[in-house]
Structures are given as structure tokens and as C-alpha cells.
Amino acid sequence: MDGNGRWAQLRGLPRIEGHRRGAVSVREIVRAAREVGVRALTLYAFSAQNWLRPPDEVAMLMQLLRDYVIDERPEIMDNDIRLITIGNVDRLPSFVREPLEALKRDSANNRKMTLCLALSYGGRESIVETTRALCDMVKAGVLNSEDIDEERFQAAMQTHGLPQLDLMIRTSGEERLSNFLLWESAYAELYFTETFWPDFNRAEFIRALDSFRGRERRFGRTGEQLRKIG
Ligand code: IPE
Ligand code: MG
């Protein structure tokens, strides 16, 4: 979800106004995803590197995050959405962590869609953390290093409860992953749009899904092989 700051600056508004408008887009896209039957939606809301932004911007983002969790609670519960998080949530201030953890707990049995918020998240960080956890298990004698394969590794990742990542969307014209879901994006389709996140709406989201639908995913095979398998 990129481009909040530039959206605001273009209008002579403070960056936080862009983040505020970005929260409106989040609402619209979560609703659209739920309606069209997306099983899981992960939003890169705050990266591990975003802590380096000016303290007042970080503080306002934390305030917005708290507002989001509180305001969206009824929508999430009424729509049978399970909220989970990835990232180092322990770093969040308690005024965010507390309502967040409560909503995660209360929505844990919801089934229609998983909404995953990446908070204080970094893809490299998560790979390193998983590696460390597996090393600890080997050291403790509960895991043989020869038994570590892709499946075992994935099972130890924070994203273990999510389906395979199919589509990654980045707004605002930047064409890079910026440390998002590095392991999980191995076979994801990438979709880039010039639109700033506050202008990213339902119609744009549907356009991204349509683009995804039109792609041939070969997973290393040839197109011909795929057509034979059917
Ligand atoms: C994305 O918008 C929102 C967050 C990272 C929280 P930016 O704040 O990165 O917006 P730009 O890139 O400065 O336009
Ligand atoms: Mg940005």
C-alpha cells in the first residue's frame, strides 16, 4: 500500500492526510476482497524499516492503526473475517497491541476470509527468525537438520496459516518488493499500478484480479505440459 505521502503532498496536504485516506482504501479493498471470495488478503501496513520515519509520522500511523482496529471490529466480526498479523507485533505500543490482540483472539474462529496485517514486518527478518527457531529445535534435539525441507521451513514461518501467495499488488508506480513476503512470493504474480494507494479502489482491485486471471502460471513447466495436464 504505497503512495499515501505523495498523494497528500500533491494536494498540498500533510502526509498524515494521505495515511488517513489510505485507511479508507483499506476498508474498501477488504470489503471487495471478501465479496469476490478472496480467501486471504495480506496488507503491508507498516514495515520493520518504517520505524525509521520521523517520530511524529510513526506516532500518527500508530494512532491510525489503533483507530482502524477499533472502528473495523464490527465489520470484521459481522463478515466472518479472521484477523491475524505477521511481523514483530511486540514492538507496537500497547495502545495498539491491546485492541489488536483482542480482535485477533475474538475473530480466530471466523472462516470466510483471513485478513493478515503485516506490522513491523520484514521479509528478511522473518526468514532469519524462522531459521533461528529451527536451529533452536535442532539444538534442543527435537529436529534433525536433514529433515528441514521447504515444507518444514514454511511450517515454521509466521505465514504458515495462509494459503499460497498468488498475487502481489503494489501501488504508486514503484516496482520492487521492498522486503515484503520474500519467501512467499516465489511464484506470486506481480501487479504494479501507478495509482497511489488512497486512489486505489474496488474497480482497480478488480482490474488487478482480472489481470491475474489472464496469466499462465507454469511453476517451472512448459505451457504445453500444462495444457496436457488440463
Ligand atoms: C505507504 O505510503 C504507507 C506506509 C508505508 C505506512 P507512503 O507513506 O510510503 O507514501 P509515499 O511513498 O511517501 O508516497
Ligand atoms: Mg512509500
Side-chain angles (χ1 to χ4, degrees), residues 8-229:
Q9 277 156 352
L10 233 97
R11 288 162 177 76
L13 299 167
R15 292 177 57 85
I16 187 65
E17 243 352 274
H19 294 313
R20 230 172 251 136
R21 266 290 329 208
V24 177
S25 296
V26 168
R27 234 155 260 161
E28 182 167 337
I29 299 310
V30 169
R31 192 170 291 175
R34 164 74 172 76
E35 282 170 16
V36 302
V38 168
R39 282 172 62 205
L41 177 71
T42 301
L43 300 173
Y44 202 5
F46 194 83
S47 75
Q49 287 67 36
N50 284 150
W51 292 112
L52 298 172
R53 291 195 175 191
D56 59 327
E57 183 168 341
V58 171
M60 285 188 280
L61 282 168
M62 290 301 135
Q63 195 60 53
L64 266 182
L65 188 55
R66 175 189 157 86
D67 292 348
Y68 176 79
V69 169
I70 291 171
D71 295 347
E72 292 312 290
R73 187 187 169 91
E75 169 105 9
I76 285 174
M77 295 307 295
D78 292 349
N79 284 292
D80 205 15
I81 295 171
R82 175 176 71 125
L83 182 78
I84 65 170
T85 56
I86 53 173
N88 188 1
V89 178
D90 289 345
R91 269 190 88 176
L92 300 176
S94 58
F95 71 90
V96 177
R97 218 172 45 236
E98 280 162 19
L100 182 67
E101 292 300 340
L103 186 52
K104 279 162 68 174
R105 215 180 312 115
D106 296 343
S107 68
N109 292 320
N110 291 352
R111 282 290 167 267
K112 278 284 188 301
M113 183 176 88
T114 297
L115 173 61
C116 175
L117 299 182
L119 297 169
S120 190
Y121 173 84
R124 285 181 172 174
E125 286 84 342
S126 81
I127 293 169
V128 168
E129 238 167 69
T130 301
T131 305
R132 193 186 306 123
L134 291 170
C135 286
D136 286 346
M137 290 171 75
V138 171
K139 207 161 60 185
V142 295
L143 178 68
N144 292 318
S145 60
E146 313 84 71
D147 292 335
I148 300 176
D149 55 11
E150 283 179 32
E151 208 178 314
R152 188 70 196 71
F153 197 89
Q154 173 62 57
M157 295 280 281
Q158 277 191 318
T159 50
H160 66 90
L162 291 170
Q164 157 182 276
L165 180 63
D166 287 323
L167 171 64
M168 187 178 314
I169 300 171
R170 182 169 188 159
T171 56
S172 89
E174 309 294 355
E175 299 191 346
R176 55 178 174 270
L177 301 189
S178 296
N179 209 15
F180 190 45
L181 298 177
L182 297 181
W183 164 273
E184 295 81 356
S185 61
Y187 281 99
E189 296 295 327
L190 307 180
Y191 181 89
F192 300 104
T193 169
E194 296 282 325
T195 306
F196 292 140
W197 177 253
D199 289 328
F200 191 80
N201 56 18
R202 187 193 170 93
E204 288 256 7
F205 183 58
I206 300 295
R207 207 170 302 145
L209 296 180
D210 285 344
S211 157
F212 170 78
R213 231 173 262 126
R215 300 186 193 190
E216 181 177 70
R217 306 183 76 200
R218 294 187 289 275
F219 299 99
R221 294 176 188 256
T222 67
E224 206 177 27
Q225 277 181 307
L226 289 182
R227 282 182 283 280
K228 251 182 227 156
I229 298 166

